[in-house]
């Protein structure tokens, strides 16, 4: 198979990241919960004030509902759990965020997900919830030339900020600290690809993207490394693929964007192997492909302005600072 055909297949796979990149942020707990909790029913008939509320239980209930509604792909009920002023650290407001969730639902089916609540910190009507999210899903369509649908593996480390609105907890913002997502097809499903990047960099600064995996025998691996701003919809650059040597390591130096966007470090990977088509005749067959992404948060620090105290010079070349009240 010619390299141009392989590149076309890999680019076709890359376009799936537009709708799959948000998967890591929407995990589901398999356990079903009642859509209307006992506390909600009590409050609905006017007796809610009789009972002392437990903020931690109320907040845990929010995340259980979020998981249940996500599993059912109920966008309307998911949206009700968020504040109208919601924004995440990628700059997605509620409308943009819901569009990304809807696109994700149209592209994969959920297989196995787990949300672990690590900590809840409450300060009156505000709360911060630290969550670790992991999950697996399956794409609804295969990629051209490779049998079977794709496997999606994701994980995320997120701090959710909640606030009370009219007596109810709402998700006000999300700060995604770390996030990885792999989309694997064919032979790539049995390979662990690791992408290593700094979790945070300054804007317009250089950093290294490093892709590594266990060395493979009788397989040709080509890959492309690049960074892409996290915007909706995503803009995908045209990239060149390089053969990976036997050590299974590929690195590239990139420059973070200067437009105040966070970004994904992306590895697009293609696997191929010789195939016997006739006596002493071989062709190159594409056996697998993958997309591996990891988040890089980009920040633009604001410089501190240091105001120097005025000084007064004397004839003897000595300087004496003038105090704020004007006295020497």
């Amino acid at each position: 198979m010619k390299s141009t055909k392989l590149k076309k297949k890999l680019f076709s796979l890359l376009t799936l990241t537009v709708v799959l990149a948000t998967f890591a942020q929407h995990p589901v707990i398999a356990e079903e919960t009642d859509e209307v909790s006992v506390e909600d029913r009590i409050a609905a008939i006017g007796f809610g004030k009789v009972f002392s509320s437990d903020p931690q239980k109320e907040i845990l209930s929010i995340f259980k509902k979020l998981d249940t509604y996500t599993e059912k792909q109920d966008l309307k009920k998911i949206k009700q759990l968020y504040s109208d002023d919601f924004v995440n650290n990628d700059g997605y407001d509620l409308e943009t965020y819901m569009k990304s969730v809807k696109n994700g639902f149209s592209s994969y089916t959920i297989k196995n997900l787990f949300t672990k609540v690590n900590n809840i910190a409450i300060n009156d009507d505000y709360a911060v919830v630290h969550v670790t999210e992991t999950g697996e899903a399956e794409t609804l369509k295969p990629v051209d030339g490779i049998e079977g649908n794709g496997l999606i593996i994701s994980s995320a480390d997120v701090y959710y900020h909640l606030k009370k609105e009219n007596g109810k907890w709402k998700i006000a913002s999300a700060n995604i600290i770390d996030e990885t997502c792999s989309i694997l097809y064919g032979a790539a499903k049995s390979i662990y690809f690791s992408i290593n990047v700094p979790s945070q960099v300054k804007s317009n600064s250089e950093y290294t993207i490093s892709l590594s995996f266990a060395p493979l025998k009788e397989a040709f691996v080509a890959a492309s490394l690049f960074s892409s701003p996290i915007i909706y919809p995503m803009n995908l650059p045209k990239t060149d693929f390089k053969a990976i040597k036997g050590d299974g390591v590929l690195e590239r130096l990139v420059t973070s964007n200067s437009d105040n966007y966070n970004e994904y470090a992306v590895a697009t990977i293609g696997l191929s192997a010789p195939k016997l088509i006739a006596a002493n005749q071989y062709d190159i067959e594409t056996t697998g492909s993958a997309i591996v992404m990891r988040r890089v948060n980009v920040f633009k620090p604001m410089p501190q302005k240091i105001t120097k105290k005025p000084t007064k010079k004397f004839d003897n070349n000595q300087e004496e600072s003038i105090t704020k009240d004007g006295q020497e």
Side-chain angles (χ1 to χ4, degrees), residues 37-55:
S37 65
V38 175
E39 292 84 354
D40 291 339
R41 292 171 183 170
I42 292 175
I45 58 177
F47 296 104
K49 294 183 180 180
V50 176
F51 301 90
S52 59
S53 62
D54 186 335

Side-chain angles (χ1 to χ4, degrees), residues 1-2 5-7 9-10 143-147 185-187 220 269-275 283-289:
M1 183 176 293
K2 296 181 179 179
K5 291 186 68 177
L6 177 60
K7 289 182 180 180
K9 289 183 179 181
L10 293 176
V143 70
D144 184 31
I146 302 176
E147 185 178 352
Y185 288 86
F220 175 80
I269 307 160
L271 287 77
S272 58
K275 179 182 179 181
D283 195 3
I284 299 299
E285 178 186 28
T286 302
T287 59
S289 57

Side-chain angles (χ1 to χ4, degrees), residues 158-171:
V158 187
Y159 283 86
Y160 288 100
H161 297 257
L162 283 70
K163 65 178 179 178
K164 266 194 173 181
E165 295 181 355
N166 299 321
K168 290 187 177 181
W169 289 102
K170 299 281 187 178
I171 299 173

Side-chain angles (χ1 to χ4, degrees), residues 90 201 207 227-230 254-258 261-265 294-298:
D90 296 322
V201 298
Y207 67 93
S227 60
S228 181
I230 303 176
V254 298
T255 301
S256 60
N257 73 88
S258 57
Y261 292 116
N262 296 321
E263 56 191 45
Y264 284 124
R294 189 159 190 173
R295 166 180 291 268
V296 177
N297 287 322
V298 181

Side-chain angles (χ1 to χ4, degrees), residues 29 33 68 71 110 117 129 137 155 168 186 201 206 268 279 294 299:
I29 295 178
T33 58
T68 300
E71 186 176 44
I110 298 167
V117 177
V129 184
S155 64
K168 290 187 177 181
V201 298
E206 291 184 339
T268 308
R294 189 159 190 173
F299 73 103

Side-chain angles (χ1 to χ4, degrees), residues 70-305:
T70 304
E71 186 176 44
K72 295 180 178 181
Q73 298 190 356
D74 192 331
L75 286 172
K76 183 178 179 180
K77 290 185 178 179
I78 290 174
K79 189 175 181 179
Q80 292 174 354
L81 301 177
Y82 288 81
S83 168
D84 291 338
D85 299 326
F86 171 83
V87 65
N88 67 10
N89 60 324
D90 296 322
Y92 285 26
D93 59 13
L94 184 59
E95 181 181 1
T96 303
Y97 187 69
M98 289 297 115
K99 285 181 180 179
S100 69
V101 175
K102 183 178 180 180
N103 279 350
F105 286 163
S106 67
S107 305
Y108 58 75
T109 55
I110 298 167
K111 294 179 62 179
N112 178 31
L113 297 105
F114 180 71
T115 303
K116 178 184 178 183
V117 177
N118 300 311
N119 185 58
I120 301 176
I122 301 171
N123 182 16
D124 293 331
D125 291 340
Y126 301 92
V128 179
V129 184
H130 180 205
V131 174
T132 301
E133 306 171 340
T134 56
E136 291 185 8
E138 183 178 321
T139 64
L140 298 180
K141 297 179 181 180
V143 70
D144 184 31
I146 302 176
E147 185 178 352
N149 294 338
L151 171 65
I152 308 172
I153 303 174
S154 69
S155 64
D157 185 24
V158 187
Y159 283 86
Y160 288 100
H161 297 257
L162 283 70
K163 65 178 179 178
K164 266 194 173 181
E165 295 181 355
N166 299 321
K168 290 187 177 181
W169 289 102
K170 299 281 187 178
I171 299 173
S173 65
N175 186 18
I176 308 163
I177 304 301
D178 191 19
E179 176 188 8
T180 61
C181 184
S182 299
I183 310 169
L184 311 168
Y185 288 86
K189 293 180 183 179
S190 60
I191 302 171
Y192 174 69
F193 296 100
S194 175
I195 188 166
N196 185 33
V197 289
S199 60
Q200 182 170 277
V201 298
K202 291 198 298 185
S203 63
N204 198 33
S205 65
E206 291 184 339
Y207 67 93
T208 299
I209 302 174
S210 177
L211 172 70
S212 61
F213 54 91
L216 303 176
K217 295 181 179 180
E218 300 180 355
F220 175 80
V221 184
S224 174
L225 302 180
F226 61 91
S227 60
S228 181
I230 303 176
I231 58 177
Y232 183 85
M234 287 181 66
N235 294 324
L236 303 175
K238 293 183 178 180
T239 59
D240 295 325
F241 292 87
K242 293 184 177 181
I244 300 180
K245 298 179 181 179
D247 59 359
V249 177
L250 181 66
E251 293 185 338
R252 182 184 176 187
L253 188 67
V254 298
T255 301
S256 60
N257 73 88
S258 57
D259 299 321
N260 293 327
Y261 292 116
N262 296 321
E263 56 191 45
Y264 284 124
V266 184
T268 308
I269 307 160
L271 287 77
S272 58
K275 179 182 179 181
L276 181 65
I277 57 176
N280 298 324
Q281 291 185 9
Y282 292 87
D283 195 3
I284 299 299
E285 178 186 28
T286 302
T287 59
S289 57
I291 292 283
V292 183
M293 301 183 298
R294 189 159 190 173
R295 166 180 291 268
V296 177
N297 287 322
V298 181
F299 73 103
K300 188 175 183 179
M302 298 299 293
Q304 294 289 331
K305 294 183 179 180

